[in-house]
Amino acid sequence: LCNGCCVPWISLSDRSELQNRFHSYAYYVAGPFDWLNIAYYSVGAIIFHALIQEYILDKLGKKLHLSKSKNAKFNESGQLAVFYAISVGLAVYICYLEDFFSTPSIIWSDYPQVFHMTLQKFFFIVQLAYWFHVFPELYLQRIRKEDMSSHSTYASLYIVFITAGYFMNFSRLALILLSLHYVAELLFHVSRFLKLIDWPECTRIMFVLWALVFISTRFITGAIAWLALWVGFAKFDVKNIDIKSGNFNTATIRAVGLAAICLLQIWLMWNFINFQLQYYRDSTTSQPPSYLEILEEEHTPDQGKKKKKRMVESHYDKTGSPRVRQRPAKAK
């Protein structure tokens, strides 16, 4: 039903405006019937989510014996890591086909960017479908009430920004900024996934890498948004919005868009700082008592001495080095 309604609307009959492109792919335009396709792919996203959950994450979770809260984070990171990895790969392939890497000015050239190649249109429809599917998943996955607000906020922000970029014909800028953001998010969820499966060495390296990429991404996103919206698209500025031709390139729209992107980067940085502070507190409180702290009191009762001796022997060897705790062997 969705494809039957969408194909007549998005099929491109006049391709004379595409003669300056580098290749001869089929191009499509955005329209209101895209929402039917988005609804269709939202159902597909729910099914895809259930398949990953049942055949991969549930089997791994049973072997790890995680607590309820850790299991929820494990499932979330596993699902989002797969989605971000696929999205980044598809976005990079689209940028390669459209030759974004050799000519960065193509981000704002030829505005309004009404025409989308098949993969580009598919990319945005799948993005909207995935973030819409988050809302029914809140109930299907039995997410705790205190976590629903954060999940809903993130999904709503994705929907607002992707919808604005796609339907207001800033699709190339939206594709680039979304790809950069997804790279940072992918590293975070991979890092948290490794932490939950108890790989401390890899986790430490990945969290440091994620922190560097996250901070860099925030500044690069702001720079690209300013360059595109305030400098590049200003060359094609119009005084009034022309809905018929899909031209939303007014100074007001660009200013609102740039302000929204910058405010979003500030909000993400604020959350990042709070997360780092919380992570530092958790790591310091989980450290075993130091060797000197345990032995610093020499004049203590016999029971205290015996207790401290047991603490020393449990955490440190005779040389004062921390003991490496071995995992118990799994029953075959």
Side-chain angles (χ1 to χ4, degrees), residues 14-27:
D14 183 10
R15 303 191 182 182
S16 59
E17 298 183 42
L18 300 178
Q19 58 187 358
N20 61 335
R21 305 300 295 174
F22 304 107
H23 39 63
S24 58
Y25 295 120
Y27 281 78

Side-chain angles (χ1 to χ4, degrees), residues 209-229:
L209 179 62
W210 163 69
L212 295 174
V213 172
F214 185 91
I215 296 171
S216 303
T217 301
R218 303 285 72 84
F219 288 103
I220 293 172
T221 299
I224 293 176
W226 176 82
L227 182 64
L229 292 173

Side-chain angles (χ1 to χ4, degrees), residues 25-314:
Y25 295 120
Y27 281 78
Y28 303 94
V29 297
F33 286 111
D34 285 344
W35 293 106
L36 294 176
N37 259 336
I38 291 169
Y40 172 77
Y41 283 109
S42 295
V43 178
I46 294 174
I47 297 172
F48 183 70
H49 188 118
L51 291 175
I52 295 176
Q53 186 67 43
E54 183 176 353
Y55 291 101
I56 300 176
L57 297 178
D58 283 348
K59 292 182 178 180
L60 289 174
K62 289 178 181 178
K63 293 180 180 180
L64 296 172
H65 303 288
L66 299 173
S67 63
K68 190 174 181 180
S69 60
K70 287 185 177 181
N71 192 59
K73 292 179 181 179
F74 175 81
N75 293 332
E76 181 188 7
S77 291
Q79 294 282 353
L80 288 174
V82 173
F83 170 72
Y84 287 139
I86 295 173
S87 298
V88 170
L90 184 58
V92 170
Y93 184 61
I94 293 170
C95 291
Y96 168 74
L97 292 178
E98 292 283 4
D99 206 16
F100 287 179
F101 300 113
S102 61
T103 54
S105 61
I106 200 173
I107 295 174
W108 57 77
S109 63
D110 302 331
Y111 189 85
Q113 298 160 2
V114 180
F115 304 111
H116 312 282
M117 61 181 298
T118 308
L119 279 179
Q120 189 176 0
K121 185 178 179 68
F122 176 76
F123 175 84
F124 282 103
I125 288 176
V126 168
Q127 295 303 309
L128 289 170
Y130 185 87
W131 293 114
F132 271 114
H133 110 283
V134 169
F135 296 101
E137 283 292 341
L138 294 177
Y139 298 95
L140 295 175
Q141 294 289 324
R142 298 178 181 178
I143 303 297
R144 296 183 301 176
K145 289 184 178 179
E146 54 268 24
D147 295 334
M148 281 189 177
S149 60
S150 61
H151 286 74
S152 302
T153 301
Y154 273 96
S156 300
L157 286 171
Y158 277 116
I159 290 169
V160 169
F161 279 91
I162 295 172
T163 301
Y166 177 63
F167 286 99
M168 297 175 74
N169 299 317
F170 295 99
S171 57
R172 297 173 197 168
L173 177 63
L175 179 69
I176 296 295
L177 297 184
L178 201 61
S179 304
L180 290 172
H181 178 71
Y182 279 179
V183 170
E185 292 296 304
L186 173 62
L187 290 175
F188 169 72
H189 286 286
V190 170
S191 303
R192 193 168 72 168
F193 189 85
L194 293 174
K195 180 183 178 182
L196 293 170
I197 63 176
D198 198 15
W199 283 6
E201 295 182 358
C202 294
T203 300
R204 197 176 300 111
I205 295 172
M206 289 300 298
F207 266 119
V208 172
L209 179 62
W210 163 69
L212 295 174
V213 172
F214 185 91
I215 296 171
S216 303
T217 301
R218 303 285 72 84
F219 288 103
I220 293 172
T221 299
I224 293 176
W226 176 82
L227 182 64
L229 292 173
W230 209 246
V231 179
F233 285 108
K235 300 176 183 178
F236 312 97
D237 182 64
V238 294
K239 293 183 178 180
N240 298 313
I241 296 174
D242 187 0
I243 298 178
K244 197 174 213 179
S245 62
N247 195 330
F248 297 86
N249 192 21
T250 64
T252 304
I253 294 292
R254 295 199 314 275
V256 171
L258 181 59
I261 292 173
C262 292
L263 288 174
L264 179 63
Q265 305 314 303
I266 295 171
W267 181 70
L268 290 171
M269 277 299 299
W270 175 255
N271 291 339
F272 172 78
I273 293 170
N274 289 330
F275 174 82
Q276 291 295 334
L277 292 175
Q278 183 64 37
Y279 182 76
Y280 176 76
R281 292 192 201 100
D282 294 342
S283 61
T284 52
T285 55
S286 62
Q287 292 282 344
S290 65
Y291 189 74
L292 294 175
E293 285 176 355
I294 297 174
L295 298 176
E296 64 181 355
E297 296 183 7
E298 297 179 356
H299 304 288
T300 55
D302 294 338
Q303 292 182 356
K305 288 183 178 180
K306 291 179 181 179
K307 183 178 180 181
K308 289 181 179 294
K309 184 178 180 181
R310 287 196 300 269
M311 292 176 68
V312 172
E313 292 175 351
S314 63

